[in-house]
């Protein structure tokens, strides 16, 4: 089963945080095992369950560059799963 995880950019302080996503009167919140962080809701993306060649987790909204194919795509959620979309917005295929 795929791990359910979200990432967002902190509003107070710097950097990105990973954890569970929820909203309250303060706004968008990412909670991990020790803290709660207010994040910019526009930066929140869900983990795809995949990693890149370096073992870094791939999240919705990430930009992927395929060096061998000279292809640049964004990762987006589209109806039934995560897809790669090219610069013109065309879905390439589900990842």
């Amino acid at each position: 089963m795929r791990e359910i995880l979200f990432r967002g950019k902190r509003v107070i302080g710097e950097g990105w945080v990973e954890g569970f996503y929820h909203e309250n009167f303060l706004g968008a919140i990412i909670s991990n095992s020790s803290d709660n962080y207010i994040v910019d809701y526009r930066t929140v993306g869900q983990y795809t369950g995949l990693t890149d060649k370096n073992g870094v987790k791939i999240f919705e909204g990430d930009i992927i560059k395929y060096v061998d194919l000279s292809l640049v795509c964004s990762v987006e959620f589209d109806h039934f799963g995560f897809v790669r979309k090219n610069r013109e917005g065309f879905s390439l295929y589900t990842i």
Side-chain angles (χ1 to χ4, degrees), residues 1-87:
M1 185 186 319
R2 183 172 55 86
E3 178 182 13
I4 305 299
L5 185 66
F6 291 86
R7 177 186 67 185
K9 190 166 186 172
R10 294 174 59 179
V11 172
I12 300 169
E14 295 183 16
W16 294 82
V17 291
E18 296 177 7
F20 299 101
Y21 174 77
H22 58 95
E23 296 179 5
N24 65 20
F25 65 95
L26 295 173
I29 307 291
I30 299 263
S31 300
N32 59 27
S33 59
S34 59
D35 291 310
N36 295 314
Y37 299 95
I38 301 171
V39 295
D40 182 346
Y41 72 92
R42 296 170 296 185
T43 66
V44 173
Q46 187 174 0
Y47 176 48
T48 63
L50 302 172
T51 58
D52 67 10
K53 68 179 183 178
N54 299 316
V56 177
K57 294 176 182 172
I58 299 174
F59 287 84
E60 178 182 14
D62 283 351
I63 303 298
I64 299 173
K65 182 177 181 181
Y66 294 90
V67 177
D68 55 333
L69 300 176
S70 298
L71 181 65
V72 177
C73 305
S74 64
V75 177
E76 299 179 21
F77 189 80
D78 187 19
H79 302 295
F80 302 107
F82 292 99
V83 296
R84 292 178 270 192
K85 291 194 176 183
N86 64 12
R87 293 180 185 186

